[in-house]
Amino acid sequence: MKTLFHFTILLFVCSMSFAQFETNYEERNVPKFSVPDPLTTFAGEKISTSEDWIAQRRPELLKFFENKVYGKVPGNLDEVTFKLLEENKNALNGKARRKQVEVTLTKNEKSIRFTILIYLPKNSTLAPIFLGYNFFGNHSITTDTNVFISEAWAMNSEALSISEHRLTEVSRGLRAHRWAIEKIIDRGFGLATIYYGEIDPDKNDLMDGLQNLFYEKGQERPERNEWGSLAAWAFGYSRALDYFEQDNNIDASKVLVFGHSRLGKAALWAGATDKRFAGVISNNSGCGGAALSKRRFGETINVINTSFPHWFSYNFKNYNNNEEALPVDQHQLLALIAPRPLYVASAKEDEWADPKGEFLSAYHASQIYGLFGKKGISNIEMPEVHKPIHNTIAYHIREGKHDVTDYDWEQYVTWASEFLKLNR
Ligand code: GCU
């Protein structure tokens, strides 16, 4: 079924009729393909132990995803600094401690700044925490009037009353339904969020965000194998983790990186590239996220690279309408996260993101988790709606559309309590 949402997205694509022509929503039209074997190296050698995975296979896969999919980070920053802008020990009606921390990233005498909004359970001394970007500013996730409004460029949105690319008071709390803050706090977790536009504004311009800090004089775009916006957002997640390592109220060994949709893609890449993340949650991440590309169901590589040319490395365009040439698929991205806990979630009406492709990816990543004695998804049949599977790899499909709901958060919090060994 094509929802209004999908229609809007298709409008986004410059060549609308082309995109519509391409979009397949029929299982019978999924091309025949073989799922690249995570246990066979590019040179054709079989591996069968976690040691060989770590020493041989994981590095070559990571390198492939770096150079051909998301793009490499071209170097190190010169400096990362943190500044506590504000703290309140009685936030959310006395339930939580709130902090707003400004992070400054500097290279080549250029800087960008972003602000992390953090809520922690009031009486916890060392809280495990969910970290996730938001789409429309930290103030959009809560009605808390003390949350600062970002001055960064924003996508216009009629629903959120955002025009002229500026965030204002009017959108305070308008995305609160996507963030079950009270539930998270009540179950002993913290929540940290960042406006993703402060790292790299989500438009086809790689001059106005993080990438620019790394450019040589006169350079206007990254090299072909270097980062697009998704890898920049993933890098931002890691810098937030740098801050957590210095905050005495946060347990930096228990940070779950979370993201919805394009930000779910970024969360997966952050989990793959930064082993300090204790686990990853991908909510409806779809094409270039959890979903298998070779199925060509819903959004395809060609469509995503056309609609969002700035998200991946330039090299990824080599696979536009050419999925069969890809020697990897997204289950191997998921496998890079092993043996750490990983949650993949789908929504039934979110066919654009290919729920079955997201599930199969989690299923095929499970053999790598098996090498570590961890349980993934053992049955290739998709579970029914609202029948979550909570193993080290977890999966659920819920009713409804592309979104983050209370049902999703209930699953994440329950699963995280078990898999981060909190049992609260
Ligand atoms: C578009 C895009 C998806 C993405 C989604 C989102 O639909 O095609 O790849 O996941 O936006 O981020 O909301």
Side-chain angles (χ1 to χ4, degrees), residues 59-73 223-227 269 312-319:
E60 68 172 14
L61 282 171
L62 184 62
K63 197 164 160 205
F64 186 90
F65 279 101
E66 266 179 348
N67 284 294
K68 308 288 185 185
V69 184
Y70 301 98
K72 274 168 87 89
V73 178
E223 301 294 334
R224 300 172 83 91
N225 69 335
E226 288 177 356
W227 52 357
W269 185 232
F312 296 87
S313 72
Y314 191 86
N315 278 343
F316 195 45
K317 295 185 174 59
N318 292 337
Y319 300 100

Side-chain angles (χ1 to χ4, degrees), residues 301-320:
I301 294 177
N302 180 48
V303 171
I304 204 167
N305 278 333
T306 309
S307 326
F308 306 99
H310 56 293
W311 279 4
F312 296 87
S313 72
Y314 191 86
N315 278 343
F316 195 45
K317 295 185 174 59
N318 292 337
Y319 300 100
N320 287 359

Side-chain angles (χ1 to χ4, degrees), residues 5-6 9-10 13 135 178 196 202 260-265 283-288 299 303-304 307-308 311-312 350 352-353 402:
F5 172 76
H6 298 155
I9 293 308
L10 287 175
V13 182
F135 282 84
R178 282 195 172 175
Y196 83 132
D202 194 358
H260 169 60
S261 207
R262 68 198 67 183
L263 302 175
K265 308 181 211 293
N283 192 91
N284 307 176
S285 63
C287 179
E299 189 173 29
V303 171
I304 204 167
S307 326
F308 306 99
W311 279 4
F312 296 87
D350 187 19
W352 182 244
H402 190 70

Side-chain angles (χ1 to χ4, degrees), residues 148-167:
F148 302 133
I149 300 179
S150 171
E151 288 173 6
W153 181 95
M155 190 113 51
N156 287 340
S157 158
E158 224 173 289
L160 278 87
S161 303
I162 299 167
S163 60
E164 291 169 28
H165 303 295
R166 288 279 151 245
L167 297 170

Side-chain angles (χ1 to χ4, degrees), residues 228-240:
S229 297
L230 288 169
W233 297 324
F235 184 90
Y237 272 135
S238 287
R239 303 294 69 79

